[in-house]
Amino acid sequence: MIIKAANKIRSSEITSEDVFLKRRELLQAAGLALGATTAAMLPGAGIAASGDGPEGQKLDGVTAWADSTSEKQTPWAQATSYNNFYELGTDKTDPQKNASRLITEPWSVEVNGECAKPGKYTLEDILKPHALEERVYRLRCVEAWSMVIPWVGFPLSDLLKRFEPNGNARYVQFQTLHDPQRLPGQQYPVLQWPYVEGLRMDEAMHPLTLMAAGMYGRVLPNQSGAPLRLVVPWKYGFKSIKSIVRISFTETQPDTSWNLSAPREYGFYSNVNPTVSHPRWSQAKERRLDGDGKGLAALFAEKQETQMFNGYAEEVAGLYSDLDLTKNF
Ligand SMILES: Nc1nc2c(c(=O)[nH]1)N[C@H]1C(S)=C(S)[C@@H](COP(=O)(O)O)O[C@H]1N2
Ligand SMILES: [Mo]
């Protein structure tokens, strides 16, 4: 791969990066940037992946899902060094640097709201009844880059059914761990913490919606959202909330972090849609991160067309037949 000199990159290729560069400048101006050296090496069940190949505990008994994409996969080294996880820093390379701060043991998930089986479930309670599947999905960030990742998990619907949602449950909200020691980015007001996301109940119960506990055959590395994260492949990446500690069944549409932060730019639905531009940049194309570089080398990845619903239109378009997708973006 030819690495272009920075001054030869057309501005149209880097528009999406302006956003995070600007956020970093703002943070630095305020004296709030996360130092790369703040990450203390503390013990924990999760891992802070930093090498070239898959690291972490191997997951046993994983079966291959029949409908995985056969597109070239994002190499592990790239998938774990170019991340959005603002609780571990706002630069793409920060989550890897700060990953060891996130201690994931013990871990529990609180389930509440409109269901018959609310309560506090340990990670083991959550995982135990479910057979693990490997599903290779595309994940596309609203910043116009995408990856192809072999996730390991199980359908979210199988988990939600266990809590017996009642007739009032029309939505489900998810919340990330709130702990500024283990997630030091929460010491800075970049977003309202904790990070929250939500789905309509039919979206949550859709067979493509995955609760992931691993990737590349191993437990999730911390920067990827250990120990439990959502993967909603037809929606922009920010819907795929990481390090989940709470699941709430609600009657009304729940708050979501990016909608709270910038409602004009990020709607509740956030379906990947090449025909609806973000107010500040196009969504027609994406940089596919499937090369060999690490970290910011991703900025030079090849561009390709973005597909409606990220290529999952056949499966999910029917969920939105009653909605005007330019209004419900
Ligand atoms: N808690 C939390 N979850 C999050 C984020 C975040 O900042 N905090 N970023 C989101 C965004 S914008 C994207 S694109 C994906 C990135 O997932 P990846 O790092 O595994 O590629 O995580 C999403 N989940
Ligand atoms: Mo994103």
mmCIF file of all heavy atoms in Angstrom, residues 32-42 88-89 94 97-101 181 184-185 187-188:
data_model
loop_
_atom_site.group_PDB
_atom_site.id
_atom_site.type_symbol
_atom_site.label_atom_id
_atom_site.label_comp_id
_atom_site.label_asym_id
_atom_site.label_seq_id
_atom_site.Cartn_x
_atom_site.Cartn_y
_atom_site.Cartn_z
ATOM 1 N N LEU A 32 -7.458 19.031 28.894
ATOM 2 C CA LEU A 32 -8.170 17.838 29.346
ATOM 3 C C LEU A 32 -7.786 16.570 28.598
ATOM 4 O O LEU A 32 -8.350 15.522 28.847
ATOM 5 C CB LEU A 32 -9.685 18.052 29.186
ATOM 6 C CG LEU A 32 -10.319 19.114 30.077
ATOM 7 C CD1 LEU A 32 -11.787 19.313 29.693
ATOM 8 C CD2 LEU A 32 -10.214 18.740 31.542
ATOM 9 N N ALA A 33 -6.839 16.667 27.675
ATOM 10 C CA ALA A 33 -6.542 15.477 26.870
ATOM 11 C C ALA A 33 -6.046 14.338 27.754
ATOM 12 O O ALA A 33 -5.337 14.549 28.739
ATOM 13 C CB ALA A 33 -5.506 15.811 25.812
ATOM 14 N N LEU A 34 -6.414 13.145 27.393
ATOM 15 C CA LEU A 34 -5.984 11.966 28.147
ATOM 16 C C LEU A 34 -4.533 11.668 27.803
ATOM 17 O O LEU A 34 -4.210 11.514 26.642
ATOM 18 C CB LEU A 34 -6.815 10.762 27.731
ATOM 19 C CG LEU A 34 -8.235 10.660 28.245
ATOM 20 C CD1 LEU A 34 -8.902 9.459 27.591
ATOM 21 C CD2 LEU A 34 -8.249 10.528 29.750
ATOM 22 N N GLY A 35 -3.700 11.549 28.792
ATOM 23 C CA GLY A 35 -2.317 11.190 28.512
ATOM 24 C C GLY A 35 -2.207 9.728 28.140
ATOM 25 O O GLY A 35 -2.909 8.899 28.693
ATOM 26 N N ALA A 36 -1.315 9.438 27.201
ATOM 27 C CA ALA A 36 -1.147 8.047 26.785
ATOM 28 C C ALA A 36 -0.537 7.216 27.905
ATOM 29 O O ALA A 36 -0.644 6.006 27.927
ATOM 30 C CB ALA A 36 -0.263 7.993 25.550
ATOM 31 N N THR A 37 0.117 7.888 28.827
ATOM 32 C CA THR A 37 0.834 7.156 29.873
ATOM 33 C C THR A 37 0.004 6.993 31.140
ATOM 34 O O THR A 37 0.471 6.459 32.125
ATOM 35 C CB THR A 37 2.134 7.893 30.248
ATOM 36 O OG1 THR A 37 1.803 9.248 30.535
ATOM 37 C CG2 THR A 37 3.145 7.831 29.141
ATOM 38 N N THR A 38 -1.253 7.447 31.122
ATOM 39 C CA THR A 38 -2.064 7.353 32.340
ATOM 40 C C THR A 38 -2.544 5.938 32.597
ATOM 41 O O THR A 38 -3.001 5.628 33.683
ATOM 42 C CB THR A 38 -3.303 8.264 32.268
ATOM 43 O OG1 THR A 38 -3.986 7.970 31.059
ATOM 44 C CG2 THR A 38 -2.919 9.724 32.329
ATOM 45 N N ALA A 39 -2.473 5.087 31.573
ATOM 46 C CA ALA A 39 -3.023 3.741 31.737
ATOM 47 C C ALA A 39 -2.134 2.901 32.638
ATOM 48 O O ALA A 39 -1.054 2.481 32.264
ATOM 49 C CB ALA A 39 -3.171 3.072 30.381
ATOM 50 N N ALA A 40 -2.585 2.672 33.863
ATOM 51 C CA ALA A 40 -1.838 1.824 34.780
ATOM 52 C C ALA A 40 -2.066 0.372 34.400
ATOM 53 O O ALA A 40 -3.137 0.003 33.959
ATOM 54 C CB ALA A 40 -2.309 2.077 36.203
ATOM 55 N N MET A 41 -1.063 -0.436 34.509
ATOM 56 C CA MET A 41 -1.232 -1.863 34.215
ATOM 57 C C MET A 41 -1.846 -2.562 35.419
ATOM 58 O O MET A 41 -1.170 -2.933 36.359
ATOM 59 C CB MET A 41 0.121 -2.504 33.856
ATOM 60 C CG MET A 41 0.640 -2.130 32.484
ATOM 61 S SD MET A 41 -0.531 -2.495 31.145
ATOM 62 C CE MET A 41 -0.540 -4.288 31.235
ATOM 63 N N LEU A 42 -3.138 -2.678 35.385
ATOM 64 C CA LEU A 42 -3.855 -3.299 36.496
ATOM 65 C C LEU A 42 -4.373 -4.653 36.048
ATOM 66 O O LEU A 42 -4.655 -4.859 34.876
ATOM 67 C CB LEU A 42 -5.034 -2.406 36.907
ATOM 68 C CG LEU A 42 -4.642 -1.034 37.461
ATOM 69 C CD1 LEU A 42 -5.851 -0.121 37.518
ATOM 70 C CD2 LEU A 42 -4.025 -1.179 38.841
ATOM 71 N N LEU A 88 -12.608 5.798 26.769
ATOM 72 C CA LEU A 88 -11.169 5.497 26.849
ATOM 73 C C LEU A 88 -10.363 6.498 26.013
ATOM 74 O O LEU A 88 -9.219 6.229 25.661
ATOM 75 C CB LEU A 88 -10.899 4.055 26.381
ATOM 76 C CG LEU A 88 -11.434 2.942 27.301
ATOM 77 C CD1 LEU A 88 -11.238 1.565 26.673
ATOM 78 C CD2 LEU A 88 -10.762 2.981 28.678
ATOM 79 N N GLY A 89 -10.949 7.654 25.718
ATOM 80 C CA GLY A 89 -10.241 8.696 24.972
ATOM 81 C C GLY A 89 -10.865 8.940 23.615
ATOM 82 O O GLY A 89 -11.463 8.046 23.027
ATOM 83 N N ASP A 94 -6.549 6.085 21.161
ATOM 84 C CA ASP A 94 -6.611 6.145 22.632
ATOM 85 C C ASP A 94 -7.189 4.880 23.283
ATOM 86 O O ASP A 94 -6.661 4.440 24.319
ATOM 87 C CB ASP A 94 -7.465 7.337 23.095
ATOM 88 C CG ASP A 94 -6.733 8.661 23.013
ATOM 89 O OD1 ASP A 94 -5.491 8.662 22.934
ATOM 90 O OD2 ASP A 94 -7.418 9.705 23.033
ATOM 91 N N LYS A 97 -4.570 2.430 23.906
ATOM 92 C CA LYS A 97 -3.583 2.864 24.896
ATOM 93 C C LYS A 97 -4.130 2.783 26.310
ATOM 94 O O LYS A 97 -3.407 2.495 27.261
ATOM 95 C CB LYS A 97 -3.162 4.317 24.618
ATOM 96 C CG LYS A 97 -2.307 4.476 23.383
ATOM 97 C CD LYS A 97 -2.047 5.952 23.117
ATOM 98 C CE LYS A 97 -1.489 6.169 21.722
ATOM 99 N NZ LYS A 97 -1.848 7.492 21.190
ATOM 100 N N ASN A 98 -5.407 3.098 26.470
ATOM 101 C CA ASN A 98 -6.004 3.180 27.809
ATOM 102 C C ASN A 98 -6.787 1.933 28.210
ATOM 103 O O ASN A 98 -7.390 1.895 29.279
ATOM 104 C CB ASN A 98 -6.921 4.406 27.885
ATOM 105 C CG ASN A 98 -6.145 5.710 27.700
ATOM 106 O OD1 ASN A 98 -5.073 5.877 28.294
ATOM 107 N ND2 ASN A 98 -6.636 6.592 26.867
ATOM 108 N N ALA A 99 -6.769 0.919 27.340
ATOM 109 C CA ALA A 99 -7.652 -0.244 27.524
ATOM 110 C C ALA A 99 -7.452 -0.958 28.851
ATOM 111 O O ALA A 99 -8.414 -1.489 29.420
ATOM 112 C CB ALA A 99 -7.459 -1.231 26.373
ATOM 113 N N SER A 100 -6.228 -0.961 29.364
ATOM 114 C CA SER A 100 -5.981 -1.745 30.583
ATOM 115 C C SER A 100 -6.642 -1.128 31.815
ATOM 116 O O SER A 100 -6.723 -1.759 32.865
ATOM 117 C CB SER A 100 -4.478 -1.914 30.818
ATOM 118 O OG SER A 100 -3.890 -0.645 30.962
ATOM 119 N N ARG A 101 -7.133 0.088 31.709
ATOM 120 C CA ARG A 101 -7.855 0.699 32.831
ATOM 121 C C ARG A 101 -9.205 0.019 33.089
ATOM 122 O O ARG A 101 -9.737 0.075 34.183
ATOM 123 C CB ARG A 101 -8.109 2.194 32.542
ATOM 124 C CG ARG A 101 -6.870 3.039 32.516
ATOM 125 C CD ARG A 101 -6.267 3.217 33.894
ATOM 126 N NE ARG A 101 -7.110 4.015 34.777
ATOM 127 C CZ ARG A 101 -6.994 5.321 34.932
ATOM 128 N NH1 ARG A 101 -6.072 5.997 34.283
ATOM 129 N NH2 ARG A 101 -7.800 5.965 35.761
ATOM 130 N N GLN A 181 -12.899 5.852 37.032
ATOM 131 C CA GLN A 181 -11.583 5.256 37.262
ATOM 132 C C GLN A 181 -11.279 4.230 36.180
ATOM 133 O O GLN A 181 -10.186 4.224 35.596
ATOM 134 C CB GLN A 181 -11.528 4.590 38.645
ATOM 135 C CG GLN A 181 -11.586 5.586 39.802
ATOM 136 C CD GLN A 181 -10.592 6.725 39.630
ATOM 137 O OE1 GLN A 181 -9.403 6.513 39.395
ATOM 138 N NE2 GLN A 181 -11.090 7.965 39.732
ATOM 139 N N PRO A 184 -11.563 6.281 32.156
ATOM 140 C CA PRO A 184 -11.104 7.633 32.522
ATOM 141 C C PRO A 184 -11.609 8.748 31.604
ATOM 142 O O PRO A 184 -11.628 9.909 32.012
ATOM 143 C CB PRO A 184 -9.575 7.517 32.475
ATOM 144 C CG PRO A 184 -9.279 6.259 31.742
ATOM 145 C CD PRO A 184 -10.450 5.348 31.914
ATOM 146 N N GLY A 185 -12.054 8.413 30.404
ATOM 147 C CA GLY A 185 -12.639 9.441 29.539
ATOM 148 C C GLY A 185 -13.879 10.078 30.158
ATOM 149 O O GLY A 185 -14.272 11.192 29.791
ATOM 150 N N GLN A 187 -14.028 11.299 32.945
ATOM 151 C CA GLN A 187 -13.643 12.447 33.762
ATOM 152 C C GLN A 187 -13.809 13.753 32.988
ATOM 153 O O GLN A 187 -13.666 14.840 33.543
ATOM 154 C CB GLN A 187 -12.199 12.289 34.252
ATOM 155 C CG GLN A 187 -12.059 11.133 35.248
ATOM 156 C CD GLN A 187 -10.612 10.716 35.493
ATOM 157 O OE1 GLN A 187 -9.696 11.509 35.324
ATOM 158 N NE2 GLN A 187 -10.407 9.474 35.877
ATOM 159 N N TYR A 188 -14.107 13.647 31.687
ATOM 160 C CA TYR A 188 -14.234 14.829 30.829
ATOM 161 C C TYR A 188 -15.609 14.867 30.184
ATOM 162 O O TYR A 188 -16.123 13.837 29.752
ATOM 163 C CB TYR A 188 -13.139 14.810 29.754
ATOM 164 C CG TYR A 188 -11.797 14.431 30.332
ATOM 165 C CD1 TYR A 188 -11.223 13.205 30.061
ATOM 166 C CD2 TYR A 188 -11.163 15.301 31.214
ATOM 167 C CE1 TYR A 188 -10.009 12.840 30.634
ATOM 168 C CE2 TYR A 188 -9.956 14.951 31.805
ATOM 169 C CZ TYR A 188 -9.385 13.715 31.509
ATOM 170 O OH TYR A 188 -8.211 13.366 32.087
#
